[in-house]
Amino acid sequence: MASTTSPWNEPSSWHGPKVACEQANGSGTTQDHQKQFAITHITKAPITSAPIRSSLIQQLLKEQLEDLRDCHEGEVADYIPELAKANPEDFGIVMATADGRVYAVGDWEKTFTIQSISKPFMYGLAMSLLSPSFMEKKVGVEPSGDAFNAISLDPRTGIPRNPMINAGAIATAAQVWRHDPGRAEDLTLEFFSSLAGRPLAVNESVYESERASGHRNRAISHLLRNAAVIEEEPEPGLDLYFRQCSIGVTCRDLAVMAATLACQGRNPLTQDEPLNPALTTRMLAVMGSCGMYDYAGQWLYDVGMPAKSGVGGGVLAVVPGRLGIAVYSPRLDAFGNSVRGIATCRRLSQALELHLFDQTPLQQSPVRSTYKGTERRSRRWRSTAEAAVLDPLRSQIKVLHAQGVLDFAALENVLGSIEQAATDGAVIILDLGQVSELPAASSAFLKRQSELLQAAGQQLLLCRSSHLELPAALSREKFTYASLDLALEAAEDLLLEKSACEGSAGNGSTALAAAPKGTPTDACLLGLLAPLAANLREAITERLELRHYAAGSLVMARQQESDQLFLVASGRFSIFLPIPRPEAPARLARMATFSEGMVFGDAAFFSGELRMADVVADTDGSCWLLQRSSFEGLQQDNPAAAMALLTQLAIDLGRKVALCGQQLTLVEDL
Ligand code: GLU
């Protein structure tokens, strides 16, 4: 469980005692297809200039840096002579988040060589070029108890134990070289540059120094050749290994590379995708078990992040899905890990509760709210006949609003809610608008659930899912709707259809099928004017004129004069209101949809103000229009008929207002 102390409510204790490098010496207390894994996208990486941020987080890193500056334990690596030139006092800390924010303090711009931190990335490159299954035959994934530079192979398998020790890393580099001898180094540099988000280059002096002094690594490469792990002469592969280790990076570069791993292979600053999720999972797993030399077990126990360190003084750690951390400080402990690097990561892990196994159970329900169709209806206005059929059935509509990441645990919860809602004849609407991620396994479950419901005579409709990847069977029009409103309308239509199928001839459904015959009387009898005495109705209808509209045509537009009243004779007409959005064109939202016998355009007709909304014909249709001048004529010639019309319109408006008010109140309460 997460501890309850936060770095901010206990400012003096969170970063631990002043003795800076406590426990840094290891005595701590505590068959794939190649294509599937192919690199999806490498561009010539641009130089990213995301600003270094100044904030509370920055301040926290700075406190950390100041606190650990007093730590002078450890020695700068000198077995590669050029590395001994590093300034032991250099110290930089950088954090890069999954959404591309970078916090950097200290010597974050100083270039040093990546050394062993290149190993997991080279392994990722090899897997993407040759497939994971191929690489599994060349290098194992078991932690080794030996030193990182041990001249040994796993006696059981005859191959290097893992790609994080030199034997495994040299075998990996040899495979990358063999894949494309002419371009291996360019491929490597392009790949690393894409991970860091800026062009990287080899430090030639370190490379020369490493090549000249790397007798042990040369011995390892010959051992690999002898064991046929390397199929060609060992020198070119070994040379590529020396060059990959000599790539110059800054602490910021490493943090961005770590963040790219945290983002499943997408660089959060450039949006390049040098890796894919399947590869990053494997890389992080190997880093988790073998990344910190012989300190890997204690590291995972104390710090709990997949990580890799290098003898150049860098440490890179990943909080999967969240962020990357990099530290640069060249003094190393007996295991070859940066002393301050380890201490920094341990403190950050504790203070910020970043330990991988410190997972809090789901705090937020993945189902935000549930209610029935009685509490929220579509903006499609229903005729009296339709309403008579639909209203008693509305409770069969169940709406579920899901939220967050629907991983397995969350989806299991959603499925439970769906099952609960799946009473006889239910139409369940699952709103995915607030779902940030729907992994493939979860969407497959949803598809299966939808099939099960259908087989039981129920229906699952999804809405607001365009940002998610759904299986083709679910993303078909019949199951997926752009808005909750459209899904509610579809659910209502389904209930009406079902009741029409189930009902016998002569019930409400025959009234629903009635169509206007071409005289005002026929159409209006269904609606607004039906209750009027024949003589009054006639006085009104003879002043109406019929107008036809093709599907999709604009019937009226915002800001127009409002000189007409519309009485729908046939077809469907929708009113759209623009919803302003910050920095985006307004979205047109449906306010209402009307069908035969219903009136629109009445509000502005009476107020005399400009139209406030657009009206579009959803289908081919026609309306009876009452011009303002005709209405004024009616008022003159037949005040009784004008009064009767006004009374009907007032009743209609009253109903609309009452229903809108009720819906608003219910919706506000949901
Ligand atoms: N190039 C270094 C070597 O092979 C890398 C070692 C390391 O960073 O652990 O010795």
Side-chain angles (χ1 to χ4, degrees), residues 496-509:
L496 284 170
E497 269 170 41
K498 231 200 287 179
S499 115
C501 294
E502 283 164 6
S504 53
N507 70 2
S509 57

Side-chain angles (χ1 to χ4, degrees), residues 244-441:
Q244 82 181 53
C245 288
S246 308
I247 292 174
V249 289
T250 64
C251 202
R252 182 184 185 280
D253 294 331
L254 287 184
V256 176
M257 292 169 88
T260 302
L261 287 182
C263 293
Q264 299 190 303
R266 181 184 49 77
N267 182 320
L269 293 169
T270 63
Q271 310 307 323
D272 255 12
E273 287 183 38
L275 286 162
N276 67 33
L279 295 181
T280 49
T281 304
R282 290 170 149 85
M283 292 161 68
L284 290 170
V286 178
M287 287 163 72
S289 59
C290 323
M292 299 300 281
Y293 307 113
D294 288 351
Y295 184 62
Q298 189 72 46
W299 169 271
L300 196 60
Y301 184 75
D302 286 347
V303 182
M305 298 178 206
K308 187 71 199 92
S309 64
V311 293
V315 178
L316 166 157
V318 181
V319 183
R322 300 286 183 272
L323 49 92
I325 296 172
V327 186
Y328 168 53
S329 171
R331 285 203 194 88
L332 309 181
D333 63 18
F335 295 105
N337 294 317
S338 162
V339 177
R340 287 170 176 171
I342 297 250
T344 304
C345 291
R346 175 188 284 114
R347 289 170 173 216
L348 287 177
S349 170
Q350 279 167 11
L352 308 179
E353 298 173 359
L354 300 178
H355 199 292
L356 203 59
F357 303 128
D358 180 15
Q359 295 274 346
T360 8
L362 279 182
Q363 293 295 314
Q364 186 192 44
S365 168
V367 179
R368 186 160 51 87
S369 63
T370 57
Y371 49 85
K372 292 183 186 164
T374 40
E375 271 144 272
R376 188 167 184 157
R377 49 177 73 192
S378 80
R379 289 184 205 122
R380 165 95 174 264
W381 288 79
R382 302 290 177 178
S383 66
T384 320
E386 278 180 322
V389 179
L390 192 54
D391 286 349
L393 301 175
R394 283 190 187 276
S395 61
Q396 291 183 13
I397 299 174
K398 312 282 173 59
V399 183
L400 275 70
H401 292 279
Q403 65 183 357
V405 176
L406 291 195
D407 57 10
F408 174 72
L411 186 85
E412 183 274 334
N413 189 307
V414 173
L415 292 180
S417 302
I418 292 180
E419 274 161 32
Q420 233 177 351
T423 47
D424 252 6
V427 183
I428 299 164
I429 298 173
L430 179 61
D431 170 27
L432 298 171
Q434 300 290 325
V435 170
S436 51
E437 207 188 315
L438 183 69

Side-chain angles (χ1 to χ4, degrees), residues 79-80 83 114-117 119 148-149 164 166 170 210 217 241-242 245-246 293 308-312 336:
Y79 75 102
I80 299 169
L83 292 185
I114 189 167
Q115 296 299 335
S116 272
I117 302 173
K119 290 172 180 172
F148 74 98
N149 56 2
M164 303 294 115
N166 286 11
I170 293 168
E210 192 154 349
N217 286 331
Y241 169 75
F242 287 146
C245 288
S246 308
Y293 307 113
K308 187 71 199 92
S309 64
V311 293

Side-chain angles (χ1 to χ4, degrees), residues 223-245:
L223 174 71
L224 292 168
R225 175 71 189 94
N226 183 57
V229 176
I230 295 183
E231 298 89 340
E232 325 273 336
E233 279 316 296
E235 198 60 36
L238 177 67
D239 195 64
L240 182 60
Y241 169 75
F242 287 146
R243 292 193 74 75
Q244 82 181 53
C245 288

